[in-house]
Amino acid sequence: MDKLIDKLTIALPDDWHLHVRTGSILKTVIRHSARQFGRAIIMPNLKPPITSVEQALLYRNEILAALPADSAFQPLMTLYLTGNTSSEEIQKVAESEHVHAFKLYPAGATTNSDAGVGNIEAVYPLFAAMEKHGVPLLIHGEVTNAEYDIFDREKIFIDSQLSQITQQFPALRIVAEHLTTLEAVQFVEAANDNVGATITPQHLLYNRNAILAGGIRPHFYCLPILKREHHRQALLKAATSGNPKFFLGTDSAPHPTSLKENACGCAGCYSAHAALELYAEAFEQAGALDKLEGFASFHGADFYRLPRNTGTITLEKNSWSVPAQYEDTDNRITPLKAGEQLHWQLTAACNG
Ligand code: DOR
Ligand code: ZN
């Protein structure tokens, strides 16, 4: 049936996991998200990280100032959880109109995570405060010890940490970010309704061969790293299942091309330039374009207890070439599918 669909209008979507950085990179990338999303959860892993409501509000102003003049895009801010986060700050988040969650990075797990949490059990009192105040906790779910194989780090985190957190704090709303494995999908499905999860376009479209087969391709290197094909199939099935626990979060993570194409390349795929088009390709592949709207536009808003958007976007079946680079005077960023064809194109967006 999907073969006949060549135009799709859905409610305006949101991106529930986005990195926009700061300064000149922010100016280069923000328009890509603003053209297709109503809102986005903004990750706090700047250098230094955003750890207070006050800093988050300044960062929010910087993002608003970088938007195109006519944009109604809303950045939804988050704070970076550290061992020094206070329960007062959690209360401030609960009372803030603009700050929506805390992000837990296990120390050393990924880009700018050095200030993250070393001993997770030591911050259980903070989880208790979040649970009490109804503040969501967003989790980068990977163990960090060097002895763990990089392909096993998500599963080990679930078994050794996440299952315990969900047992001890059943009323804490948790988003397991950027799922990459069958085991993670099964964990989220079996957990109570306070546990949701985001899934990125790269984890729906690619398996680990994309990074390593026929040459090392650094633009597919992100964390958690791409996994085997059966994991990709499990993610595709979850995203297209209609289960409201699963929702869109691109984890679009811009890095300068020179730092990706490097002897020690940075982790992160840039996907904001074509986020909806990339998801549409994945959903079409699964014969489930009819499930895209729930995943992209409803499930995340419902989980965060925010109103659904009233606008719409339209995607049409047109082929177009993704630029090799997004380039301006300050930055060069290589996007996902650089120089390749995409078969869906965003042709209209209206913010309600
Ligand atoms: O690949 C990634 N890049 N994973 C993350 O968790 C962080 C992100 C970044 O900030 O570049
Ligand atoms: Zn991220």
Side-chain angles (χ1 to χ4, degrees), residues 19 21 45 105 110-111 140 178 221-224 251 253 255 267-269:
H19 300 265
R21 317 299 189 204
N45 63 331
Y105 288 102
T110 186
T111 308
H140 182 116
H178 40 51
Y221 175 62
C222 67
L223 291 172
D251 199 12
H255 291 277
C269 296

Side-chain angles (χ1 to χ4, degrees), residues 216 218-219 256-266:
I216 295 181
H219 297 294
T257 297
S258 59
L259 298 183
K260 293 284 298 171
E261 297 174 3
N262 193 290
C264 184
C266 296

Side-chain angles (χ1 to χ4, degrees), residues 2 13 35 41 53 131 142 197 291 309 333:
D2 276 350
R35 72 187 252 279
I41 282 278
V53 169
E131 184 179 46
E142 286 192 287
K291 295 293 197 301
N309 292 323
I333 294 165

Side-chain angles (χ1 to χ4, degrees), residues 13-76:
D14 302 301
D15 185 347
W16 299 100
H17 185 135
L18 178 64
H19 300 265
V20 293
R21 317 299 189 204
T22 182
S24 73
I25 293 208
L26 166 63
K27 292 196 183 109
T28 302
V29 301
I30 194 67
R31 67 195 158 90
H32 287 156
S33 294
R35 72 187 252 279
Q36 58 192 308
F37 292 112
R39 300 165 288 197
I41 282 278
I42 306 295
M43 287 295 140
N45 63 331
L46 303 187
K47 274 186 198 165
I50 302 292
T51 55
S52 70
V53 169
E54 201 182 341
Q55 284 173 308
L57 296 180
L58 289 174
Y59 184 29
R60 177 173 177 270
N61 287 341
E62 189 193 350
I63 296 168
L64 292 175
L67 284 168
D70 57 346
S71 177
F73 177 82
Q74 292 175 43
L76 310 176

